[in-house]
């Protein structure tokens, strides 16, 4: 096992991944791609930007595995996560109900009160489910040999990644849901954990990793253009171009692992840089919970579509700048949330909830043990 020293490169990747998710959302949900004319320079630029950023969600789960394999499991973490998600879910709903009376339906209120079990945030629902398996996954990752872990990793890639991607009917059978599932986050956690245990980063040069990331991204981009063009000629409509553009794509997975390995090797020496990275990394979850809240998400739809009328360079700069502003605004709100939780003693409350839950589990165990 590796040391528990803080890896600021991984912290930086957590923040960069969230920024990439913002860019991805502004390009797709912001309707830049939808507004661009097919095969125009804006269309090509926006799709390439999307391809580059698509691995960010996989990065998040892989980071959890890379870091989590060296940590002990605590129930407090689940309770703390639930409180944070509920804070934003209910808080933002209340704000919208005040600003626009009657705009929040009963169903939206129900989802806001129980966001994780109602799938209000698909990632948090899947992530919460994944966390329940962390003790078992960590035990396997820390006790299996490197050889066994390597065999397991290759098998996962072929059976649960490559095969479903090439034969889409298998996706439903495996329950991967194109990556929008607990099962896929479990797979990514294991990938991150295996990368840590096998110390893969030290065996590869950064330049080689960067080159591989570029080649993989170009392949994904070109495969979309080729498949779209072929389907347009054969079927008379664009179909199948996104075959390799989803969270379970072997090339998107490859890009996520490459970024994980590259950033894990970054050494931060400056104390100011460390403080800045710690700040933006700690706010990443809040950035996500704010901007993908259903009521906020509705407001973001088409918000950057005007960028499609700009030149590819100006369009790209506009999207990147808008993502940076959104990240900053959400980070400030998240920092305030952290201060509020600290003032209210939410961490202490979660510790008490953990003790009560463990006591209940011990009582249950005492009743059933032989």
């Amino acid at each position: 096992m590796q040391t528990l020293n803080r890896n600021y490169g991984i912290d930086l990747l957590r923040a960069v991944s969230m920024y990439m998710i913002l860019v991805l959302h502004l390009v797709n949900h912001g309707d830049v791609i939808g507004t661009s004319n097919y095969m125009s320079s804006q269309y090509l630029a926006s799709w390439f930007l999307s391809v580059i950023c698509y691995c960010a969600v996989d990065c998040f789960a892989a980071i959890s595995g890379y870091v989590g394999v060296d940590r002990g499991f605590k129930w407090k973490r689940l309770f703390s996560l639930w409180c944070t998600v509920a804070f934003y879910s209910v808080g933002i709903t209340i704000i919208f109900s005040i600003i626009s009376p009657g705009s929040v339906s009963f169903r939206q209120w129900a989802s806001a009160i129980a966001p994780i079990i109602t799938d209000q945030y698909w990632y948090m629902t899947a992530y919460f489910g994944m966390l329940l398996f962390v003790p078992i996954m960590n035990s396997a990752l820390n006790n299996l040999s490197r050889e066994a872990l390597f065999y397991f990793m290759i098998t996962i890639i072929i059976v649960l990644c490559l095969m479903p991607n090439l034969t889409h009917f298998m996706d439903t059978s495996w329950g991967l849901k194109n990556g929008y599932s607990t099962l896929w986050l479990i797979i990514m956690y294991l990938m991150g954990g295996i990368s840590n245990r096998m110390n893969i980063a030290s065996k590869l040069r950064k330049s080689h990793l960067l080159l591989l990331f570029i080649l993989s991204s170009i392949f994904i981009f070109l495969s979309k253009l080729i498949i779209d063009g072929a389907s347009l000629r054969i079927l008379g409509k664009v179909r199948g171009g996104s075959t390799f553009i989803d969270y379970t794509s072997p090339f998107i997975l490859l890009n996520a692992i490459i970024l994980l390995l590259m950033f894990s090797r970054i050494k931060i020496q400056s104390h100011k840089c460390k403080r800045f990275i710690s700040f933006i990394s700690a706010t990443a979850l809040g950035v996500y919970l704010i901007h993908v809240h259903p009521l906020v998400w509705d407001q973001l739809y088409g918000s950057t579509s005007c960028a499609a009328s700009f030149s590819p360079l100006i369009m790209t700069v506009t999207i990147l700048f808008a993502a940076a502003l959104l990240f900053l605004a959400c980070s400030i709100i998240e920092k305030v949330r952290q201060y509020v939780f600290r003032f209210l003693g939410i961490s202490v409350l979660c510790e008490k909830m953990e003790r009560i839950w463990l006591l209940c589990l011990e009582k249950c165990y005492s009743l059933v043990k032989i």
Side-chain angles (χ1 to χ4, degrees), residues 96-246:
F96 269 84
S97 67
I98 294 173
I99 295 175
S100 180
S103 62
V104 183
S105 66
F106 174 80
R107 185 174 181 177
Q108 287 173 315
W109 274 115
S111 296
I113 294 171
I116 291 180
I117 62 176
T118 58
D119 207 22
Q120 171 142 292
Y121 298 98
W122 80 263
Y123 186 86
M124 302 316 301
T125 299
Y127 187 76
F128 193 88
M130 181 209 74
L131 288 177
L132 297 175
F133 292 90
V134 165
I136 298 174
M137 291 190 290
N138 282 356
S139 178
L141 290 168
N142 287 315
N143 289 289
L144 290 174
S145 66
R146 291 191 175 188
E147 183 181 23
L149 290 174
F150 178 77
Y151 292 165
F152 184 59
M153 179 178 66
I154 297 301
T155 303
I156 285 178
I157 293 174
I158 294 175
V159 178
L160 295 178
C161 185
L162 183 60
M163 290 173 61
N165 204 249
L166 295 177
T167 55
H168 282 281
F169 66 89
M170 290 185 64
D171 182 79
T172 302
S173 301
W174 289 119
L176 296 175
K177 297 180 180 179
N178 293 319
Y180 294 85
S181 65
T182 293
L183 176 57
W184 182 249
L185 295 194
I186 287 175
I187 292 172
M188 290 309 305
Y189 184 98
L190 291 171
M191 288 296 180
I194 292 173
S195 297
N196 181 322
R197 284 277 285 107
M198 295 186 64
N199 197 22
I200 297 175
S202 64
K203 299 177 175 64
L204 300 169
R205 293 182 179 181
K206 292 180 182 178
S207 58
H208 292 170
L209 289 170
L210 179 59
L211 178 60
L212 189 57
F213 180 86
I214 294 172
L215 292 176
S216 174
S217 299
I218 291 175
F219 173 82
I220 297 169
F221 179 66
L222 291 179
S223 72
K224 173 177 174 52
L225 299 184
I226 293 171
I227 295 173
D228 278 351
S231 65
L232 185 60
R233 286 193 174 190
I234 298 171
L235 304 175
K237 51 186 176 182
V238 176
R239 286 289 184 274
S242 298
T243 297
F244 295 111
I245 308 177
D246 64 46

Side-chain angles (χ1 to χ4, degrees), residues 56-122:
V57 173
D58 284 355
C59 278
F60 256 99
I63 288 172
S64 297
Y66 189 91
V67 175
V69 70
D70 289 328
R71 293 179 177 176
F73 175 79
K74 292 186 178 181
W75 290 99
K76 173 188 173 183
R77 186 181 177 190
L78 273 74
F79 293 121
S80 178
L81 178 65
W82 190 292
C83 290
T84 302
V85 175
F87 173 85
Y88 281 116
S89 181
V90 175
I92 293 175
T93 303
I94 290 174
I95 292 174
F96 269 84
S97 67
I98 294 173
I99 295 175
S100 180
S103 62
V104 183
S105 66
F106 174 80
R107 185 174 181 177
Q108 287 173 315
W109 274 115
S111 296
I113 294 171
I116 291 180
I117 62 176
T118 58
D119 207 22
Q120 171 142 292
Y121 298 98
W122 80 263

